[in-house]
């Protein structure tokens, strides 16, 4: 599959979300295993890696830096600010210019690099005009600490305001067969403005890869634990969709994870996706999705099977939803 663009960078359309090595899910590998897996990712062609200051309160950036700073010229590096440790030592959203400047310097130190290729505003601070937060990132560009600016989990209107302040290279939000919110307005706005759309969780936090069943329990700290889609009564209804999904994958000659990723990539020739995994074999599997060619009829079949009307439960709890401003279906 041809490379796709984020700002000045040309990358493989399938990148690697690194969060799971330090945050969000259970079963994290030890450091040596994690470092080996990250290097394996580069070895097999991953050239766009995504981390954040919030993941493990800086631990994920330190891990990525330790594992890969010696291979810095082999991949495009993305990280994020404004969500995580505050200047006072707590955990919150801080989109103030002062908070962003501090987090940027801390990110550079943890990663062991002199610049970050794509630095996102991880969450919009509701107490700070987005123009002020983007302005702080623009000063990071002027200082040579950031190559390009991204935003995450914001609405189309906020994207327009951010882009009017400084060119936005990419917006990142959840997008998959079972999370269609970007189709309301955001994908169209990205096409209009020339902003690359980066899809995270293309396999539905493991659900569309078959990692969840009726017996699954979640370790403490696993973000899926409270999510409505992963709990009764919604879980049983959602699991009922997987038999047909598996049958489609078998007919297509691929795994269900590959089918889910291929669907995302087929939505638009400019979309980039960053499935997250800590498992080298799953990295191989996910990368194989770029060889799965879906016909228009197959895409229509998948669209009808799993969509916002057939999936049960919201993607976030009310508390988690309050931290994002993406459009929601009625």
């Amino acid at each position: 599959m041809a490379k796709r663009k984020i700002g000045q960078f040309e990358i493989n359309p399938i990148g690697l979300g690194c969060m799971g090595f330090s945050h969000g899910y259970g079963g994290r590998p030890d450091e040596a295993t994690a470092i080996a897996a990250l290097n394996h990712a580069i070895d097999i062609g991953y050239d766009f890696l995504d981390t954040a200051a919030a993941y493990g309160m800086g631990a994920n950036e330190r891990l990525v830096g330790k594992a890969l700073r010696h291979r810095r010229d082999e991949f495009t590096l993305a990280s994020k600010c404004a969500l995580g440790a505050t200047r006072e030592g707590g955990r919150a959203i801080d989109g103030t210019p002062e908070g962003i400047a501090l987090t940027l310097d801390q990110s550079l130190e943890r990663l062991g690099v002199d610049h970050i290729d794509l630095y996102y505003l991880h969450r919009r601070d509701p107490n700070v005009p987005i123009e002020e937060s983007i302005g702080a990132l623009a000063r990071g560009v002027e200082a040579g600490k950031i190559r390009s600016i991204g935003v995450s989990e914001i609405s189309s209107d906020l994207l327009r305001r951010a882009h009017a302040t400084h060119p936005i290279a990419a917006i990142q939000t959840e997008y998959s067969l079972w999370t269609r919110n970007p189709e309301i307005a955001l994908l169209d706005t990205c096409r209009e403005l020339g902003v690359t759309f980066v899809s995270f969780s293309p396999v539905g936090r493991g659900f569309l890869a078959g990692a969840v069943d009726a017996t699954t329990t979640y370790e403490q700290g696993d973000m899926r634990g409270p999510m409505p889609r992963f709990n009764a009564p919604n879980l049983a209804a959602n699991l009922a969709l997987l038999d047909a999904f598996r049958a489609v994958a078998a007919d297509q000659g691929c795994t269900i994870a590959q089918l889910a990723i291929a669907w995302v990539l087929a939505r638009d020739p400019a979309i980039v996706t960053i499935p997250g995994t800590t498992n080298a074999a799953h990295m191989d599997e996910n990368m194989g999705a770029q060889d799965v060619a879906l016909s228009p009829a197959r895409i229509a079949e998948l669209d009808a099977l799993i969509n916002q009307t057939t999936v049960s439960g919201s993607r976030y709890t009310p508390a988690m939803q309050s931290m994002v401003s993406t459009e929601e279906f009625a």
Side-chain angles (χ1 to χ4, degrees):
M1 184 172 285
K3 298 265 186 174
R4 299 186 179 185
K5 292 194 71 173
I6 289 184
Q8 62 189 285
F9 305 103
E10 291 193 353
I11 58 173
N12 192 306
I14 301 173
L16 178 65
C18 299
M19 180 183 77
F21 287 103
S22 313
H23 177 84
Y25 304 108
R28 297 168 202 155
D30 60 51
E31 184 179 89
T33 303
I35 288 173
L38 286 165
N39 277 277
H40 176 75
I42 302 298
D43 290 341
I44 65 170
Y46 284 91
D47 59 6
F48 179 51
L49 272 62
D50 180 276
T51 181
Y55 300 160
M57 299 291 272
N60 201 247
E61 288 181 324
R62 283 192 290 271
L63 173 66
V64 171
K66 183 174 183 178
L68 298 174
R69 66 173 61 111
H70 67 292
R71 305 181 72 171
R72 181 66 182 87
D73 61 349
E74 296 181 54
F75 64 97
T76 298
L77 173 64
S79 192
K80 312 178 194 72
C81 66
L83 176 63
T86 65
R87 285 167 287 166
E88 293 75 26
R91 180 180 173 86
I93 297 174
D94 183 357
T96 63
E98 297 81 9
I100 287 173
L102 175 62
T103 304
L104 172 57
D105 286 341
Q106 291 171 337
S107 290
L108 291 168
E109 182 178 2
R110 286 189 292 256
L111 288 161
V113 299
D114 62 5
H115 71 276
I116 296 169
D117 298 316
L118 175 63
Y119 204 51
Y120 291 95
L121 183 71
H122 201 164
R123 292 291 185 273
R124 183 251 181 139
D125 188 334
N127 299 312
V128 179
I130 196 166
E131 290 83 359
E132 292 187 16
S133 298
I134 298 301
L137 292 170
R139 288 188 285 278
V141 173
E142 293 167 0
K145 298 177 181 181
I146 303 169
R147 291 290 185 264
S148 53
I149 296 174
V151 289
S152 177
E153 291 276 45
I154 65 171
S155 67
S156 297
D157 288 343
L158 286 170
L159 174 57
R160 291 182 187 280
R161 287 171 54 186
H163 194 68
T165 304
H166 185 280
I168 301 299
I171 182 167
Q172 178 182 132
T173 191
E174 185 174 358
Y175 186 45
S176 67
L177 276 161
W178 84 337
T179 298
R180 302 295 194 93
N181 304 63
E183 295 175 1
I184 298 172
L186 197 54
L187 289 172
D188 286 340
T189 303
C190 285
R191 294 184 191 106
E192 177 188 337
L193 300 178
V195 175
T196 299
F197 184 90
V198 179
S199 152
F200 74 76
S201 295
V203 296
R205 304 185 190 278
F207 183 85
L208 298 174
V212 176
D213 61 31
T215 66
T216 300
T217 58
Y218 304 103
E219 296 181 20
Q220 185 175 1
D222 191 317
M223 64 194 306
R224 295 171 295 185
M227 286 180 169
R229 292 182 178 180
F230 292 91
N231 288 281
N234 298 314
L235 179 59
N238 292 330
L239 286 171
L241 300 171
L242 286 184
D243 286 342
F245 189 55
R246 288 191 176 94
V248 174
D251 188 58
Q252 184 70 36
C254 65
T255 69
I256 58 174
Q258 289 171 337
L259 185 63
I261 294 168
W263 177 89
V264 171
L265 294 177
R267 302 306 285 179
D268 190 289
I271 284 179
V272 170
T273 190
I274 49 169
T277 182
T278 63
N279 183 294
H282 290 164
M283 292 175 187
D284 296 343
E285 178 186 357
N286 293 344
M287 184 62 79
Q290 64 185 333
D291 298 322
V292 178
L294 302 181
S295 68
R298 182 70 83 196
I299 292 170
E301 181 182 12
L302 293 169
D303 283 343
L305 176 62
I306 303 178
N307 58 60
Q308 71 274 12
T309 62
T310 63
V311 171
S312 297
S314 57
R315 72 177 179 122
Y316 282 152
T317 63
M320 297 170 81
Q321 184 60 43
S322 70
M323 298 177 70
V324 304
S325 60
T326 47
E327 288 86 357
E328 294 295 306
F329 288 102

